[in-house]
Every structure is written in C-alpha cells, then in structure tokens.
Amino acid sequence: PSTLSSRPSHPALTPHADSAYLTVAARVANLWTAPTAPRPVDAPMCRSNPDPQVWLRALDRLPRHTGRLGLHGRLATQLRRGEPVLVVETLANGWTQVASPWHPRSPHPHGYVGWLAPGQLSHAPWSGTRRDGVPVVTLPRWRTTFLTVARSMTGVPYLWGGATPLGVDCSGLVQRAYGDVGIKLPRVAADQARAGTPVESIAAAKPGDLVAFGDPVDHIGIYVGDNQMLVAPRTGDVVKIQKLYRT
C-alpha cells in the first residue's frame, strides 16, 4: 500500500471572511445526503435532541444489509456539538443544508455539504478563531499524541459515515484522531491519501503514518509499526490493530 506522512497539508477552504457560521446544537448530528435520506429506523437521529444509542440499537436489530449497511448513500458524516457550519439553504420543513468546514471533501471548497434535521442547528453565530475566513480546529487535547488518541478508539464499532466514539468508518477514525490533536484532515480516504507527503515503502514508514489502499483509494488506516495498522475494517467489525493486507 501507499503510505503517507503524518504531517498533512491543510486543504484550501476560501469562504468570505464575513461568512456567517452557525454552530451545531445536537450532541451528535447526522449529516444526511438529502432530507429524504433517513429511513424510519433513523428517526432517533432526526429529532432536535438525537439519541445515538437508541438509533444504533435499532439498526442492529435489523439485518445488516438493511441496518448499518443501509446507511450507504444516506449518511455523509457526523458532526458534534459546537462545530461550525455554513448554511446553504433552509427548507420550509426545517431541514437545513450546510457546509461543514471541519469535514473537508473535494470538490466542495467549504467542506462536506449535507443536510441537518430540524432543531439540530443553533442560531447563535460561531465565535471561534478563524484563519483566512475559515473556522480553525481547536486543540482540546493538545498534550496528547496522535497515536494515543487513535489507539483510544480501539473497540469502537464500525459505522458507515461515523465520526464519533459511538462509531467510525475508516476515514472517520483517521479524521477524528487528527482533529483531536488540532489538525484538520479531509473527511474521505481518497482525499486523506492526497493530503500528506508520500513515503516510498513500508520499510520507511513510521508509527502514525497513514496507509491507503485501492486505486482509486477507498480504504485507509494508521500504521503502528511491525507491519500492523490500526483500522476500522468494515460493517460488523470494530476498530482494531491488524496486519497490513499486503506488504
């Protein structure tokens, strides 16, 4: 696999300096691909006060292909309380389309674009620090190393689109670990694989580098040494350390 440096460059986000960012009010908010994307089973995450635990238990009572796997094409990513978003459009029924600058994804210059359910967005302006007009990631655990944060996610269940300690996908694991030490990475594996300095071989890789798979890239993990990586493998599995698929 290709390996990447743990010192990624920041993607270019260029909103106007006076753009009005609001904040996410829900503890965990699903960013849906469309207002019609949620299914009846997803109702606990479409309330103004979402209940992720109830939602995940409901998903797991269904067959895998209609439960967690059924999120493919529906759930874009997850946002946490206090994250800034840029409102794109608000519908009469309260659904709001937003751009999420802390979840960059090409080709969206303002971050991942998706839909929040009614009541999950605060009307209070985001008041944090900006750089070039874009909200910058805070440093909630700046004394903690990236690998320590990443390893703390061991055992977290895989969740397509997941980006919280309740569930992550492969790129969500990488993005969350970097974000918790104050580094903003793109949201999806293909963009993450382009965000760093390539390493020539596994022999040159250091713990904390990223390992990417596929052409185009569709899977990513975190190298921990000894030909092993920390990874969120697939639906039905959990974040764990495993051997690289190939050397």
Side-chain angles (χ1 to χ4, degrees), residues 158-179:
Y158 183 97
L159 177 67
W160 174 270
T164 78
L166 296 175
V168 291
D169 56 21
C170 65
S171 57
L173 166 67
V174 170
Q175 190 203 36
R176 175 170 175 100
Y178 269 111

Side-chain angles (χ1 to χ4, degrees), residues 36-58:
T36 56
R39 306 155 295 174
V41 71
D42 301 318
M45 292 302 293
C46 296
R47 304 169 183 164
S48 59
N49 185 23
D51 193 327
Q53 289 90 349
V54 168
W55 175 56
L56 293 172
R57 288 196 294 269

Side-chain angles (χ1 to χ4, degrees), residues 71-122:
L71 291 170
H72 288 220
R74 298 178 185 274
L75 179 61
T77 188
Q78 293 180 308
L79 311 181
R80 290 179 285 174
R81 178 178 291 144
E83 286 195 35
V85 293
L86 189 62
V87 173
V88 178
E89 178 184 7
T90 300
L91 303 182
N93 62 6
W95 279 84
T96 305
Q97 187 180 38
V98 300
S100 47
W102 289 1
H103 296 251
R105 182 186 181 184
S106 61
H108 305 295
H110 301 281
Y112 222 133
V113 177
W115 293 84
L116 292 178
Q120 296 184 2
L121 184 63
S122 169

Side-chain angles (χ1 to χ4, degrees), residues 187-202:
R187 177 60 179 89
V188 298
D191 289 341
Q192 291 174 354
R194 290 190 290 266
T197 302
V199 177
E200 292 183 357
S201 67
I202 286 295

Side-chain angles (χ1 to χ4, degrees), residues 138-170:
T138 56
L139 303 177
R141 296 202 232 174
W142 64 273
R143 293 182 182 274
T144 309
T145 67
F146 164 67
L147 269 181
T148 299
V149 172
R151 287 178 181 272
S152 73
M153 301 290 284
T154 300
V156 170
Y158 183 97
L159 177 67
W160 174 270
T164 78
L166 296 175
V168 291
D169 56 21
C170 65

